[in-house]
Amino acid sequence: MTKNSAYDPNGKGDATIRLAADAAGLAVAADLLRAGQLVAFPTETVYGLGADAQNGEAVAGIYAAKGRPRFNPLIAHVDCAEAADRLAVLPPALERLAEAFWPGPLTLVAPLRPGAGISDLVTAGLPTLALRVPAHPVAQALLRAVGGPVAAPSANPSGRISPTTADHVLAGLAGRIAAVVDSGPCAVGVESTIVASEGEGLRLLRAGGLAAEEIEAVAGAQLLGAEPGKITAPGQLASHYAPEARLRLAAARPDADELFLGFGGMPEGAEGLDLSPTGDLREAAAALFGHLHRLDAMAAKTGARAIAVASVPERDLGVAINDRLRRAAHR
Ligand code: TXA
Ligand code: MG
C-alpha cells in the first residue's frame, strides 16, 4: 500500500491517513497529537492509539473512538525515565525496575505527582498513574517530537484483538482517528507487563511482554498476584481480545469443522496456523494477535465452527499468551 496516502475504503471522506515512519511522517504525527488529534503509532508490544495526555478533550476522543468504558484508565507514554518521574512518584522498588527494563515492554503504576497536569480521564479518577517508556525507535522519536506525555491504549475497538500492524489498526478504527504511523509488525506482539508496588512488595497487574521471571530476578522476590488467572488491572475484563470465531483451548487436534492454532508443530491434516513451529515462546507471542486476526478471517470465509488452540506452556511469555487466549475464548 502507498505510504502517506489517505485510507478511505468507503469513499466517505472521513479518511484516516497512513503515515510513513520517517522524519516527515513523524513531524505530521507529532503536529496532529499536539493539536489534540488521535494518532496510532507502533510500539514494540502493540500499536497504541495516542492522544495528548494533558488535553482532556483529546483523551475523551480515545474513549469515543474505541468505545472504551470510562472506568478503564490509560497508560501515559513518555520518552525517558526522567519524564516519568515528573508525572508520578516512583517508590524505590519501581525505580529499580525502571532502571533495569526501561525503555521496554514494562508499565509501572505509581502515585500520581500533584500538579502533573495529566487529564483525569487518563487515570479514570484513580490516585495512581500507569507509565511506560517504549523502546520502539519510532515511538521514541514520536514522543520526543511531541515533547509531552501521550496517553495510549492498544489501538483496537474495545474488547477486540489488539493490533500488531497498521492494517489491523485501520481494519478496526479507520475513519475514527486522524492517522496511523505505519512501521510494520510489532516485535514483541503482546501488551506490556504491568506492575505496581504494594507495601514492601510488587504486584503483577497484567502478564505481558516482559516475563515475570525476569522481573523477579531483578526484584529478588516473587511478584504478588503472579498466579495465573489472578491478575487484576481495572481493564482486565474476562471477555477481551475477542475474535468473532469461538475459541476452544488446550486442544490436541481440531475437530472436522475447526481451524487450528498450533504451537510447536501442526497435527497432521490440520488447517490453520502455527504460533511457532519450533515451540519458541517469544516467536509465539509476536505471532499471536496476527494469527488470531488471520484465523478469524479464514473462519468467516470458510464457515469453520471454531478455532481449536494448542496448549502453550505456562511460563515466561507463555503466561501472557495464555492470559490473552483465555480472554479471547471467554463468551
Ligand atoms: O503494551 C501496552 O501496554 C500497550 C501499548 C500501546 O503501550 N498499551 C495497552 O494499553 O495495552 P491498554 O489501555 O490496552 O491497557 C492498559 C491497562 C488496562 O488494563 C488498565 O486498566 C491498566 O492498564 N491501567 C491503567 N492505569 C492503571 C492504574 N492507574 N492502575 C492500575 N491499572 C491501570
Ligand atoms: Mg487493550
Side-chain angles (χ1 to χ4, degrees), residues 2-277:
T2 46
K3 299 286 162 113
N4 287 336
S5 68
Y7 182 88
D8 190 13
N10 306 317
K12 288 193 293 196
D14 52 359
T16 294
I17 307 167
R18 185 195 294 259
L19 294 166
D22 56 16
L26 289 176
V28 173
D31 280 349
L32 286 168
L33 284 169
R34 278 194 302 260
Q37 299 285 313
L38 303 182
V39 177
F41 63 97
T43 80
E44 69 275 29
T45 57
V46 300
Y47 275 71
L49 177 57
D52 177 351
Q54 295 177 315
N55 176 340
E57 252 176 76
V59 178
I62 290 180
Y63 287 89
K66 281 180 62 90
R68 181 179 176 108
R70 293 270 172 135
F71 55 79
N72 189 4
L74 304 172
I75 299 170
H77 295 67
V78 288
D79 64 346
C80 61
E82 293 68 41
D85 278 330
R86 288 195 288 273
L87 301 174
V89 185
L90 269 68
L94 293 185
E95 285 283 3
R96 267 199 302 283
L97 297 187
E99 220 166 279
F101 298 113
W102 276 351
L106 173 68
T107 294
L108 299 175
V109 174
L112 185 62
R113 201 176 273 287
I118 295 288
S119 159
D120 286 344
L121 282 174
V122 173
T123 55
L126 293 174
T128 53
L129 177 64
L131 280 158
R132 174 163 178 231
V133 179
H136 196 300
V138 172
Q140 277 281 326
L142 180 62
L143 290 168
R144 274 197 302 275
V146 171
V150 171
S154 49
N156 51 285
S158 190
R160 312 306 308 187
I161 304 168
S162 289
T164 52
T165 66
D167 284 344
H168 295 161
V169 174
L170 290 169
L173 297 174
R176 293 200 237 168
I177 64 175
V180 56
V181 180
D182 186 350
S183 178
C186 303
V188 175
V190 291
E191 298 87 344
S192 61
T193 301
I194 307 181
V195 175
S197 68
E198 189 174 302
E200 300 291 288
L202 292 170
R203 180 168 291 276
L204 181 67
L205 298 182
R206 177 175 73 183
L210 179 66
E213 290 91 329
E214 283 194 60
I215 299 172
E216 287 170 342
V218 166
Q222 259 206 298
L223 296 175
L224 304 168
E227 316 92 70
K230 274 209 160 181
I231 303 160
T232 47
Q236 298 292 78
L237 308 175
S239 170
H240 213 80
Y241 308 98
E244 300 285 343
R246 211 171 54 77
L247 251 58
R248 183 169 69 85
L249 301 184
R253 61 190 60 76
D255 290 339
D257 47 0
E258 289 180 331
L259 295 170
F260 196 70
L261 180 61
F263 177 78
M266 296 288 278
E268 218 181 288
E271 213 180 305
L273 297 167
D274 198 337
L275 286 170
S276 168

Side-chain angles (χ1 to χ4, degrees), residues 298-325:
M298 278 167 76
K301 216 158 67 198
T302 62
R305 191 173 51 82
I307 301 166
V309 183
S311 293
V312 175
E314 185 73 13
R315 62 175 161 76
D316 194 40
L317 293 197
V319 179
I321 294 171
N322 285 324
D323 171 71
R324 305 306 186 269
L325 285 171

